[in-house]
Amino acid sequence: PTESQSTAWKYTWGFCWDDTTQGAALLYAINTGKTEWIDHISHHLDYWIDGYGGKKVDYTPDGLAYLMNWGSLRHAANTCWIAEVACDTIFKDDASKCKKYEEWAKGQMDYMFGDNGNKMSYVLGMGDNQPSAFHHRTASGIHDDHWNDLGKPASAMTTGSGDEWQTEYAHTLYGALVGGPDLDDFHNDVTKDYIYNEVTDDYNAGFCGDLAGLYHFYGAKGKEFE
């Protein structure tokens, strides 16, 4: 696709389950080595970081690159993955460009791990402050549709027999990235508000690649990686 009213390849938006444009462009750049596609990936990453062609992704006050409310962290994580793979392939000989892209990706990952105004780690099982009402039915350990009432007293329940319901999740979903905050860095920690608290394969695929990228570029330092 092209940008609106332009012949330039579309460099805006992000890489996700329903729009794989940028992932395909990166693969094409790697496989062909054509300058046109290498430059395209640079335009896409610049759009996410400091702007390109008069267009730039929004940023929250605390520094999260914010594309949209659904899976805000997912979109940032997927673009970090594009940056890390690009720096290991098509930009590996451009030290200044890779410094810019790698440091940006690390900063976005730091946000996800708690370097934000909420001091919240959006990665379950990590940090002292993390989402307590993530939207994941099996991790709740509840066998039916009462799981949205997890931890509520009988008077506040929306379904069920009126008995007190389970108060804690049965399982910690270690390592899972939740959907994330809104454009104001606000995170509504309520189970049924899945815009903020959803956990999906799509939200975590790029994130897992990012972790491998951080290890690749920065290595393991001390026990925090053990």
Side-chain angles (χ1 to χ4, degrees):
T2 58
E3 288 294 320
S4 178
Q5 298 182 338
S6 171
T7 58
W9 298 122
K10 186 174 178 65
Y11 58 84
T12 53
W13 202 245
F15 177 48
C16 58
W17 70 272
D18 63 344
D19 189 338
T20 59
T21 299
Q22 306 310 328
L26 174 60
L27 187 62
Y28 201 65
I30 293 170
N31 287 344
T32 67
K34 289 184 177 180
T35 300
E36 175 184 9
W37 292 99
I38 293 173
D39 288 346
H40 170 82
I41 295 301
S42 181
H43 299 163
H44 175 62
L45 293 174
D46 289 343
Y47 157 75
W48 269 84
I49 299 172
D50 49 17
Y52 177 80
K55 301 176 182 180
K56 181 183 176 182
V57 166
D58 288 330
Y59 274 75
T60 70
D62 292 339
L64 173 66
Y66 187 93
L67 186 66
M68 65 176 298
N69 60 333
W70 280 96
S72 58
L73 297 178
R74 167 266 308 268
H75 287 294
N78 288 357
T79 306
C80 291
W81 182 85
I82 293 282
E84 291 174 351
V85 174
C87 286
D88 198 38
T89 53
I90 58 176
F91 300 137
K92 64 182 179 181
D93 296 324
D94 190 331
S96 62
K97 186 166 288 188
C98 278
K99 184 177 187 293
K100 172 184 174 180
Y101 296 156
E102 290 166 19
E103 289 183 352
W104 175 82
K106 183 178 183 299
Q108 294 298 299
M109 292 292 284
D110 286 344
Y111 181 104
M112 298 176 204
F113 281 112
D115 187 11
N116 54 68
N118 297 325
K119 302 301 179 187
M120 175 176 281
S121 168
Y122 293 100
V123 183
L124 301 178
M126 299 195 69
D128 296 328
N129 182 27
Q130 54 190 276
S132 61
F134 49 97
H135 193 268
H136 195 273
R137 190 182 302 262
T138 51
S140 74
I142 294 175
H143 68 280
D144 58 23
D145 283 337
H146 292 290
W147 75 294
N148 272 333
D149 294 312
L150 184 68
K152 293 181 180 179
S155 60
M157 288 177 59
T158 57
T159 58
S161 63
D163 296 329
E164 296 286 330
W165 205 249
Q166 184 177 324
T167 58
E168 296 180 358
Y169 282 76
H171 311 287
T172 299
L173 203 62
Y174 287 102
L177 181 73
V178 301
D182 64 18
L183 188 54
D184 296 318
D185 294 299
F186 171 73
H187 181 263
N188 191 28
D189 196 18
V190 177
T191 306
K192 64 182 179 180
D193 200 340
Y194 41 82
I195 290 179
Y196 296 91
N197 299 297
E198 190 76 90
V199 177
T200 71
D201 292 346
D202 165 44
Y203 288 13
N204 283 266
F207 175 70
C208 290
D210 295 339
L211 297 176
L214 288 179
Y215 188 93
H216 174 74
F217 289 114
Y218 295 98
K221 299 178 181 178
K223 294 186 178 298
E224 66 268 27
F225 285 95
E226 292 183 359

